[in-house]
Amino acid sequence: MNKRIIVVISFFLGISVIFSSCEKKESENETKISHYNTNESHNNGQNCMSCHTSGGEGEGWFTIAGSVYDTSKVNPYSNATIKLYTKANGEGTLKKSIEVDVLGNFYTTENPDFGDGLFPSVTGKNGDSQFMSFAITTGECYSCHGNTTDRIWSK
């Protein structure tokens, strides 16, 4: 459990100064998986794994996480699906399917077993899919998307 320590110091003139510090998480992983129609996530478009990692302040150590947007690449896209396949263009074996929540975020603490790499796709509510043309070996989507390449989007 994340502990927050707050210290209030009052001076004679009635001025208060508040100091706040967070302790690092204990060395345990908490299972966290995004689901359709839920709104448990936060910080859309930011690097989820800067906090949700061993020793980080976020609950659960994410193995895959990111945000999905609509075709404008501005508005979050809810209830899409991220899929990871062993071959390009949705071929091969489907290794993992992750639901996108109503805030446009997806995450899991489950190990997808990237092996030599998995090929991601995002499928919108209408069934249309967008495919990445190359395999990934990490689920830190923000390391590229929204940083050095376009955001993940769906129609």
Side-chain angles (χ1 to χ4, degrees), residues 6-27:
I6 299 175
V7 178
V8 178
I9 301 173
S10 294
F11 296 97
F12 292 106
L13 298 174
I15 301 170
S16 295
V17 179
I18 299 175
F19 297 95
S20 176
S21 66
C22 294
E23 294 182 14
K24 293 233 181 216
K25 303 286 280 174
E26 291 127 20
S27 296

Side-chain angles (χ1 to χ4, degrees), residues 16-154:
S16 295
V17 179
I18 299 175
F19 297 95
S20 176
S21 66
C22 294
E23 294 182 14
K24 293 233 181 216
K25 303 286 280 174
E26 291 127 20
S27 296
E28 61 182 68
N29 193 3
E30 184 176 330
T31 301
K32 294 284 185 180
I33 303 167
S34 57
H35 295 284
Y36 301 136
N37 301 313
T38 62
N39 63 353
E40 302 293 320
S41 66
H42 55 258
N43 298 330
N44 187 276
Q46 296 182 24
N47 184 359
C48 309
M49 293 179 181
S50 64
C51 292
H52 294 275
T53 186
S54 178
E57 293 179 12
E59 295 176 0
W61 307 340
F62 293 169
T63 55
I64 303 168
S67 301
V68 178
Y69 294 87
D70 64 11
T71 56
S72 73
K73 300 177 189 167
V74 173
N75 303 307
Y77 189 99
S78 63
N79 298 327
T81 306
I82 302 297
K83 296 178 182 179
L84 302 172
Y85 293 94
T86 56
K87 295 184 180 179
N89 299 317
E91 300 202 13
T93 303
L94 174 63
K95 295 289 280 188
K96 185 79 183 146
S97 182
I98 307 166
E99 298 175 356
V100 178
D101 68 17
V102 297
L103 301 174
N105 295 322
F106 61 92
Y107 52 90
T108 184
T109 55
E110 296 178 328
N111 184 352
D113 185 18
F114 286 103
D116 293 330
L118 295 174
F119 293 84
S121 72
V122 58
T123 302
K125 294 175 263 197
N126 64 3
D128 288 345
S129 295
Q130 310 287 63
F131 297 96
M132 278 184 58
S133 58
F134 57 90
I136 59 169
T137 56
T138 177
E140 188 174 357
C141 301
Y142 185 79
S143 65
C144 294
H145 291 286
N147 191 9
T148 58
T149 63
D150 267 346
R151 290 177 160 177
I152 301 169
W153 61 275
S154 187

